[in-house]
Amino acid sequence: MELTVWSLVGDLGIICTLLVLAQILRAKVRLFQVLFLPASITAGLAGLLLGPNALDVLPFSEAIGQYPGVLIVLIMSAVPLGHALRGGRRMAARVGALYSYSQAGEVFMWGLGLAFGLALLGPLWGVPDGFGLLLALSWAGGFGTAAAAGSAFEARGWQDATSLGYTAATMGVVVCIVGGLIITKWAARKGEAGSLTRFDELPDELRTGLVPEAERRPIGTGTLSSNSLESLTLHLGLILIPAVAGYFLGQYLTELWPDISIPVFALGFLAGLALQGVITLTPTERHVDRETVTTLSSTFSDLLVAFAITSIVPRVIADNAVPLAVLLVFGLVYCVVLLRYVTPLFFRTRWFERAIFTWGWMTGSVATGIALLRIVDPRNRSRTLEDFGLAYLGVAPVEILLITTAPIVVTAGFAWGLAGACVAFGVVTLVLARVFGWWGLPAAAGAEEEPAPQEAPR
C-alpha cells in the first residue's frame, strides 16, 4: 500500500474514532469505570485486536508503528516550553524527602532491573543485555519512554524492543490500577488510609471521565488575536519548531559521525530548552501559555498510547513471554517492598498517601497515581501533588539522561557498569537524604495543623 498524506489522515481518523468510542464506554459502562482504564488504553487494545497484527479489520497503513516515535519527539520538545528558566529556593525539607524517595526508588528500579536481566534472564533465556531495562523504561517511564528507548535500541539492532516495551507498559497500567485498589483496601483495614473514599463517592470526572459543567476549566488561555494568528497555532508551532530542529540536527550529526546515533527526542528536548531560553529573554514570554502547551502535549500522549498498543506485534510477545513475565513479577515485588517497607522510613505521618501515589506513577503514570491518591486523600491534605511538582524538578534531568544514554551504553557493552552506576547513585541519594535530615520527616510539614487545604487539581 502506497503511503500518502491521506494515509496519515486515515490512521488518525481511525485511532480517534476508537478513542471516542472508548470514552463513551468509560462514561456509560460501569465495568470500564471500575477498571479505571484510560480511554487511550481501551482504544489501543481495540486497535490491537482489530488492526493488522491480529484480525486485520481496520485499514491502518504500514506506518502504524512509526507514529509513537514521532509523537514522543513532540512531547519531549514541549517539556521545557512555558517554564521560566529562573532559579529558586523552594526545595524545602519535606520536598527533599519526597525527592530523595522518588529519585532513589526510580534509579534502583533501573539498576536492579538491568542487573536482574543480566544475571538471570540472559543466561536462562538468552535475551539481549538491555532486556532488564524494560522494567524501568515501561513502568516508571511509561509508553513515551518505551517508544523513545525502543527506537534507540532498534537503531542498534534489537528490533523487538519497542513491542516488548509497549507490552510491559500496558501490563504496568493493569498492575497499577488493580494492585493499587487491592493495596488501598489493605491500608483501609490496617487504618493507614486516613481519608479513604468509596468508589461511588469519587468525583464524576474520575469515574466516568466526564467533567460536570460547574467543574470545567479552560484548557488554555488565548494570547493572540485570531485576526492575526490563532493562539493554538502559535503554541503548536512552538512545539514543532524544536521537534523538527531536533530531527534535522540528528540527520546532520549522523552524516558527520555515522557510528554515533543520538535519539531525536533528546535533541528535540535540547532544542526546546534553547527555544525557551530565547523566549525567557524576550517579551515573547508573556504570550506563551503553559496550560495550552500542556493540553497539546497531553493530546500527543493520548495518541501515542493508542498507537503504541495498536502496533504491538503478538509474535514478539509470544517469543519472549516467559522472561518478560519473570521480569515483571520481579518489578511487582520491588514496588511492593518499596511501598510497604521503605515509604514509612521516609514519612512518619501520612506515609500511605505518598506511597500509593508513587506506586501509581512508578507502575503506570502520574495520571493514574493522581487517581489512586484521590481515593485515599480526596482533599489533598498530605500535599503530595504540590510537593511532587517541586521534587520532580530534580528527578526529571536524571530520568532524561538515563533514557537518552542507556541504549547507547548497554549496546556498547557496558551494561553491568550502568547497573552499578544506577545502584550507586541510589545509595548516594539515600545517604544525602540522611545527612540533610530528610529521612523520617512528616509527609507534609504543617499538614496536620491545616484541617482543609485546597483540593487537589482535577
Side-chain angles (χ1 to χ4, degrees):
M1 178 180 176
E2 182 183 359
L3 294 177
T4 65
V5 173
W6 277 106
S7 301
L8 169 63
V9 175
D11 290 341
L12 281 173
I14 294 171
I15 211 71
C16 287
T17 300
L18 294 177
L19 284 167
V20 172
L21 292 175
Q23 175 53 50
I24 292 174
L25 289 174
R26 175 69 179 264
K28 299 300 183 181
V29 181
R30 183 177 175 82
L31 174 62
F32 286 87
Q33 297 173 8
V34 172
L35 289 176
F36 251 37
L37 286 179
S40 55
I41 298 283
T42 305
L45 291 173
L48 174 61
L49 177 64
L50 302 175
N53 294 322
L55 299 179
D56 200 13
V57 174
L58 299 177
F60 284 111
S61 74
E62 297 175 359
I64 186 70
Q66 300 178 28
Y67 296 130
V70 175
L71 289 165
I72 188 57
V73 176
L74 298 177
I75 293 169
M76 293 299 292
S77 299
V79 169
L81 299 177
H83 288 298
L85 303 179
R86 301 186 178 96
R89 297 183 178 180
R90 298 183 60 194
M91 196 69 74
R94 62 189 175 90
V95 178
L98 185 58
Y99 159 75
S100 53
Y101 166 73
S102 303
Q103 184 73 88
E106 184 171 10
V107 294
F108 277 137
M109 179 180 279
W110 278 81
L112 296 178
L114 178 56
F116 183 76
L118 293 170
L120 182 66
L121 304 182
L124 290 180
W125 289 283
V127 297
D129 287 350
F131 196 91
L133 287 177
L134 292 174
L135 179 61
L137 288 171
S138 304
W139 281 24
F143 286 92
T145 301
S151 299
F153 273 120
E154 286 183 356
R156 289 163 177 80
W158 186 15
Q159 298 303 317
D160 298 339
T162 301
S163 278
L164 290 170
Y166 294 158
T167 303
T170 304
M171 293 305 299
V173 173
V174 174
V175 168
C176 169
I177 296 170
V178 176
L181 294 176
I182 292 173
I183 292 169
T184 298
K185 291 180 180 178
W186 166 84
R189 290 198 303 269
K190 295 290 185 179
E192 300 289 356
S195 305
L196 183 64
T197 302
R198 297 206 319 263
F199 177 80
D200 291 336
E201 296 175 347
L202 289 175
D204 287 343
E205 65 266 30
L206 283 182
R207 290 186 291 107
T208 67
L210 303 177
V211 181
E213 290 188 21
E215 301 292 334
R216 293 175 186 174
R217 300 179 181 181
I219 60 175
T221 302
T223 60
L224 297 178
S225 172
S226 58
N227 65 11
S228 175
L229 183 69
E230 281 291 347
S231 180
L232 194 63
T233 308
L234 167 69
H235 290 81
L236 180 61
L238 291 175
I239 295 174
L240 287 170
I241 288 171
V244 173
Y247 170 76
F248 284 117
L249 179 58
Q251 297 288 98
Y252 175 71
L253 293 176
T254 300
E255 291 180 4
L256 284 183
W257 300 291
D259 295 333
I260 299 177
S261 177
I262 302 176
V264 178
F265 78 88
L267 296 174
F269 175 77
L270 293 176
L273 277 176
L275 178 59
Q276 179 59 35
V278 174
I279 291 173
T280 302
L281 296 174
T282 66
T284 310
E285 184 180 15
R286 299 196 300 271
H287 304 287
V288 178
D289 177 50
R290 178 62 198 174
E291 196 65 33
T292 302
V293 174
T294 300
T295 297
L296 288 169
S297 181
S298 298
T299 302
F300 300 146
S301 296
D302 286 335
L303 293 172
L304 186 152
V305 172
F307 275 125
I309 298 176
T310 298
S311 63
I312 290 174
V313 181
R315 174 193 56 79
V316 173
I317 309 309
D319 292 343
N320 297 273
V322 175
L324 183 61
V326 173
L327 176 65
L328 298 186
V329 169
F330 171 79
L332 176 60
V333 172
Y334 171 81
C335 290
V336 169
V337 171
L338 181 70
L339 180 147
R340 179 63 186 90
Y341 299 104
V342 178
T343 315
L345 297 177
F346 272 89
F347 312 107
R348 291 200 304 269
T349 59
R350 292 191 174 274
W351 68 269
F352 185 74
E353 287 88 337
R354 299 293 175 102
I356 198 64
F357 173 72
T358 302
W359 169 278
W361 75 259
M362 201 167 282
T363 57
S365 67
V366 173
T368 48
I370 292 173
L372 292 172
L373 178 65
R374 290 294 298 275
I375 295 175
V376 301
D377 187 16
R379 293 187 62 79
N380 193 29
R381 294 180 185 275
S382 65
R383 299 189 176 182
T384 297
L385 293 182
E386 60 191 77
D387 287 353
F388 182 76
L390 290 172
Y392 191 70
L393 296 176
V395 175
V398 177
E399 192 174 70
I400 293 171
L401 179 64
L402 284 171
I403 296 168
T404 303
T405 60
I408 300 172
V409 173
V410 169
T411 53
F414 299 102
W416 275 112
L418 177 62
C422 289
V423 173
F425 185 79
V427 171
V428 169
T429 302
L430 295 180
V431 171
L432 290 177
R434 194 73 174 180
V435 169
F436 288 121
W438 295 337
W439 197 317
L441 284 176
E448 299 299 323
E449 289 78 17
E450 297 181 27
Q454 184 177 358
E455 289 193 17
R458 299 191 175 192

